[in-house]
Amino acid sequence: MHLYRKAIAPVGPQRGLNHAGRVDAAPFGRSEAGGPEVSAFVLDNGLDVVVVPDHRAPVATHMIWYRNGSADDPIGQSGIAHFLEHLMFKGTEKHPAGAFSKAVSSLGGQENAFTSYDYTAYFQRVARDHLSTMMSFEADRMSGLVLDDAVVAPERDVVLEERRMRVETDPSAQLSEAMAASLFVHHPYGIPIIGWMHEIEELNRTHAIDYYKRFYTPENAILVVAGDVTPDEVRRLAEDTYGRVAPQGARPLRTRPREPEPRAMRRIAVADPKVEQPTLQRLYLTPSCMTARDGEGHALELLAEVIGGGATSFLYRKLVLEMGVAVNAGAWYMGSAIDDTRFAVYAVPAEGVSLEALEEHVDRVLRRAPEALDPEAIERAKIRLVAETVYSSDSQSSLARIYGSALAIGETVEEVRAWPTEIEAVTRDRLLEVAARYLVPARSVTGYLTKACDTDVAIA
């Protein structure tokens, strides 16, 4: 998750122009957490390119990232970013529907795509000799997508069924949606990535084409190639494929409302017969890595690890091992976001313990933060965080994701390369400050997930 993202540095604003006005490849070297040397450059049409060499096997991971996600969906068209991701596989003038996927399969490769709040990405993993083929196909659908109602309507039904399967029949997903909508009362992070059911039903070809023309442009995209390649090779292939796509002149603006400062704690409860295990969840509105000030993001990341990062964390030791009131407990921080984000605490009650009683225990433990933040616990958490960034760099596809997601939200090379040093520099006093400032009731939404009788289903 956020650890993955931090392991390798994305492209920042340190590019230099040569006398011809062309952007040179910028070798950034190894990150402070280890990892391969990387290079970056920009094509004449504005496409950012990152090259991550990995010569252990003759394989390449090819990813194209667009700086748009569900938080950029127009009002009333929730889910359009995700819907368009589906439609991007419906063919172009040069390649009919299914041709791209068949090519990947015939070459023994893998492919997928995903939509998040802040970006949409498409990737393939193939033998290095087929990298040019992947670039050709992906560059073609950057500008040549062809849609008609004959493919749009059936694919909308696919997305509707996806929502039914993932949300409508899953009480925990319903709780998550309700809690996000309560935490983000004004910002689109409170709208599910897949969209609201009634708005998905109204999405059409015009919505998809308008969104496609707005965001799917070279200057709004990031190409990441990780694998058995060289920067010169990737530059040549990228110029011959993506370089032929005409730019639109400027990157589209991403205008989003700012979430107001919360003033009161909120509660959500979901009761459903399908619930097998009651759960307590809590979200706090906090800064992200992009909105944090004076290192608060690093402190929040380390705080989540200290109090809730696994079986050695403070929450787990107190609630599960010592008090026996929970069978699981932890915390996490979704730091990788453009706008203010969420810090989460969760606990699963032991047999015979009510959620109300468990919540009292959780609050009591959280109030003992000074006790949790002893020097040894902080040092162990720092070692774990930095070590995980090193381990994540061992995966080629992970490296590509690190670069793409970081650049897509606007992080700079200096910020990410300095991440291990910044984590090491977080002090106990700083952890206490962010805990006191952000882990307070007024900034929280607490959710209960409980089992109900068939005649007693409710969301309150």
Side-chain angles (χ1 to χ4, degrees), residues 111-172:
E111 67 165 344
N112 213 329
F114 52 87
T115 302
S116 186
Y117 290 110
D118 296 315
Y119 46 74
T120 306
Y122 304 82
F123 71 91
Q124 304 84 34
R125 192 167 188 264
V126 295
R128 67 175 306 281
D129 294 340
H130 304 307
L131 177 59
S132 61
T133 301
M134 299 300 100
M135 286 191 179
S136 179
F137 270 106
E138 201 68 84
D140 175 48
R141 69 175 173 183
M142 181 181 283
S143 61
L145 183 66
V146 174
L147 296 177
D148 58 44
D149 290 333
V151 299
V152 171
E155 198 62 34
R156 183 176 57 235
D157 291 339
V158 170
V159 175
L160 288 168
E161 182 60 23
E162 182 181 345
R163 180 176 169 87
R164 292 187 191 97
M165 294 295 293
R166 292 187 176 184
V167 182
E168 310 301 318
T169 61
D170 184 348
S172 62

Side-chain angles (χ1 to χ4, degrees), residues 13 24 50 76 132 164 183 243 250-252 271 280 301 339 354 372 399 402:
D24 290 328
V50 178
S132 61
R164 292 187 191 97
L183 185 70
R251 188 179 299 170
L280 167 69
E301 196 157 10
D339 301 307
S354 69
L399 290 173
I402 290 164

